[in-house]
Amino acid sequence: MKLSKLKKVILALTTAGVLGGAYSTAMATTPEEDLHNFREYFFKKFPGIPLNEYGNGVYAIDHGSRETWEAIEEFPPYEIALEKGETLFNTPFKNGKTYGSCFANGGIGIRQNFPFYSTKAKQVKTMEQVINECRTINGEKPLKWKKGDIAAISAYMAYTSRGKPMNVKTPTTPDEIKWYERGRKHFYAKRGQLNMSCANCHQDNAGNRIRADILSPALGHVTHFPVYRAKWGSLGTLHRRYGGCNKQVRALPLKAQSDEYKALEYFHSYMSNGIEVNGPGSRK
Amino acid sequence: MRRFSKIVSTTTFIAVAITGLGLASSTVIAAGIKSDIEKGKEIAFNRKKGNCLACHMIEDGKLPGNIAPPLVAMQQRFPDRAKLRAQIYDATVANPNTIMIPFGRHKILTDEEIDLVTDFVHQL
């Protein structure tokens, strides 16, 4: 009881200042309430689409492009990277240890639990972060964050978790709430010269066309990452995509695995709780 | 090697841009002075400037988005030109959470460009 009151106060404080316009007057909500409202918003907007379908991104709501996409997924363009990821994952470091030693259950079938708040490190940790930490504590050089080997390993780990519902622990402690709120703020705050928030495109206008692109709902966004994009011609991590979407509105993209993007991923992933992991995915 | 190809591609890009501009100015000369409405239309349709078609359907515009109301019958909806200009200058005044870009406030278009776009949109 006491704790939830505290949570509300913190939420109220953090929402009031930074979110201009519509959101500054919004009632403070708890993460559970946010999750409920977030889903309900899309359920109302797209009646009849079951929760799990949202893991398919724009194809959940755009029947026109769905068939082409399903055909692509029959011979997925990420297959080679996935095999490479499996090999890398299973190849021991010079000291004989493997990636599996750094994760619960040997790293198999655990994607749904990321990101998580580490009480020990007092910060949110993403899957890619733990992959690289695993390398450094075992005397290996860290990998580059946005594509290449790290995306391949992350893809393999997601693949072993397919079908498991996203299960990010509800933020409850003040520090967890702080990280969560930072991510939430990033999602709703307008930014860049074009002055748009993530929510402007992926909530308010989900299903609408911006030029020829249909905007995907933010619900379920995270489940199929890393993703193979035709435009990239390779696999990329979620933070690579964040950078791209920041640039679209002429905002300076932040560094992959910066606290700001980790916080965004924390919020974004919690909002997708209950939707099955289906990564890696393929997109335009 | 990589760097070299980058340099090549930027220079060719510049060359294209220059010839592009050259072409445009010669057509201007050929056709006499371009009307403000034509100039406004160019700014509105240009992806690096107004890019209004990203969201609005506009007569003659290809591949419009459908985020926003089609720009038609504008004089009936905006009898007062100043109100129309204000909407284009900063749409967040009327609706703080709008996705529409504050073209004037964020200096994406100059005052003069906003006047030209307003003239173009007002006669739609």
Side-chain angles (χ1 to χ4, degrees):
Chain A
M1 190 56 215
K2 237 187 183 166
L3 185 66
S4 85
K5 212 173 205 177
L6 174 69
K7 230 177 349 184
K8 285 208 171 160
V9 173
I10 295 170
L11 286 172
L13 285 176
T14 43
T15 7
V18 191
L19 304 180
Y23 290 90
S24 63
T25 50
M27 273 256 297
T29 46
T30 63
E32 287 103 326
E33 285 165 341
D34 286 349
L35 175 58
H36 174 81
N37 296 340
F38 200 77
R39 282 183 187 171
E40 285 303 314
Y41 177 88
F42 291 107
F43 290 168
K44 277 213 189 88
K45 193 162 204 163
F46 306 109
I49 297 194
L51 177 63
N52 207 46
E53 256 303 309
Y54 284 91
N56 294 324
V58 76
Y59 308 111
I61 54 170
D62 177 26
H63 303 290
S65 59
R66 177 145 185 149
E67 263 180 53
T68 321
W69 171 68
E70 281 178 350
I72 290 169
E73 288 274 345
E74 301 251 334
F75 302 96
Y78 47 75
E79 197 108 278
I80 295 168
L82 196 54
E83 276 167 28
K84 187 176 172 208
E86 181 172 9
T87 307
L88 288 167
F89 181 84
N90 289 317
T91 307
F93 303 127
K94 284 186 225 79
N95 68 4
K97 291 242 177 107
T98 60
Y99 287 107
S101 70
C102 299
F103 291 92
N105 200 38
I108 303 300
I110 56 162
R111 178 65 185 85
Q112 67 282 1
N113 303 325
F114 286 81
F116 68 99
Y117 181 84
S118 159
T119 328
K120 220 164 104 194
K122 293 200 172 58
Q123 57 166 288
V124 163
K125 291 203 176 188
T126 65
M127 179 112 166
E128 285 83 13
Q129 178 182 4
V130 180
I131 291 172
N132 255 345
E133 283 175 0
C134 187
R135 293 181 61 85
T136 42
I137 57 172
N138 285 297
E140 305 282 335
K141 283 207 185 102
L143 301 167
K144 288 214 169 131
W145 288 123
K146 291 193 290 198
K147 53 184 173 185
D149 287 358
I150 207 158
I153 295 165
S154 172
Y156 171 68
M157 293 179 75
Y159 187 73
T160 68
S161 317
R162 279 192 175 183
K164 310 226 172 190
M166 283 299 293
N167 188 26
V168 175
K169 210 180 126 272
T170 303
T172 48
T173 67
D175 208 31
E176 285 169 354
I177 298 277
K178 205 175 86 194
W179 277 85
Y180 171 86
E181 268 305 306
R182 182 169 178 184
R184 184 180 190 271
K185 221 178 297 160
H186 191 102
F187 187 80
Y188 287 107
K190 285 176 165 289
R191 65 171 37 74
Q193 193 187 23
L194 302 193
N195 201 51
M196 291 178 198
S197 64
C198 312
N200 278 154
C201 284
H202 295 294
Q203 189 166 341
D204 308 346
N205 284 294
N208 286 341
R209 262 182 294 115
I210 190 157
R211 283 274 179 181
D213 285 324
I214 298 180
L215 291 162
S216 56
L219 181 61
H221 254 172
V222 301
T223 64
H224 63 278
F225 275 84
V227 75
Y228 182 97
R229 278 190 81 193
K231 189 184 156 195
W232 292 336
S234 67
L235 274 182
T237 61
L238 185 60
H239 292 202
R240 184 177 180 191
R241 188 33 130 155
Y242 286 167
C245 276
N246 276 169
K247 274 192 248 173
Q248 283 194 63
V249 298
R250 300 186 196 162
L252 219 54
L254 300 165
K255 285 225 165 74
Q257 302 299 325
S258 58
D259 284 356
E260 185 78 6
Y261 278 179
K262 288 199 312 180
L264 176 60
E265 179 175 347
Y266 187 45
F267 166 78
H268 207 185
S269 301
Y270 180 64
M271 288 298 115
S272 289
N273 261 3
I275 305 177
E276 289 172 12
V277 172
N278 58 351
S282 64
R283 292 290 185 271
K284 276 205 290 186
Chain B
M1 193 49 206
R2 259 242 180 104
R3 194 171 262 174
F4 177 67
S5 72
K6 253 195 191 157
I7 291 169
V8 171
S9 63
T10 17
T11 40
T12 45
F13 173 74
I14 291 167
V16 169
I18 291 169
T19 45
L21 280 177
L23 266 178
S25 54
S26 58
T27 37
V28 173
I29 293 160
I33 295 160
K34 227 178 235 180
S35 75
D36 283 358
I37 288 173
E38 281 169 67
K39 286 188 210 156
K41 181 175 180 177
E42 265 175 26
I43 298 162
F45 282 19
N46 184 331
R47 283 175 192 255
K48 300 233 154 73
K49 296 269 188 175
N51 197 17
C52 315
L53 288 165
C55 302
H56 293 275
M57 196 273 280
I58 304 173
E59 193 184 354
D60 276 354
K62 296 201 179 74
L63 287 178
N66 63 357
I67 283 180
L71 297 181
V72 292
M74 293 315 288
Q75 271 169 37
Q76 279 161 41
R77 280 146 80 190
F78 289 85
D80 181 359
R81 181 188 178 279
K83 286 222 172 94
L84 177 62
R85 191 185 190 281
Q87 169 71 20
I88 300 169
Y89 184 86
D90 184 1
T92 66
V93 172
N95 171 9
N97 192 42
T98 183
I99 190 173
M100 181 160 157
I101 300 159
F103 290 98
R105 180 165 61 87
H106 275 204
K107 305 203 185 317
I108 292 153
L109 300 178
T110 64
D111 279 352
E112 196 199 347
E113 286 171 331
I114 286 177
D115 278 327
L116 292 168
V117 171
T118 306
D119 288 342
F120 163 65
V121 172
H122 207 209
Q123 51 84 51
L124 286 169

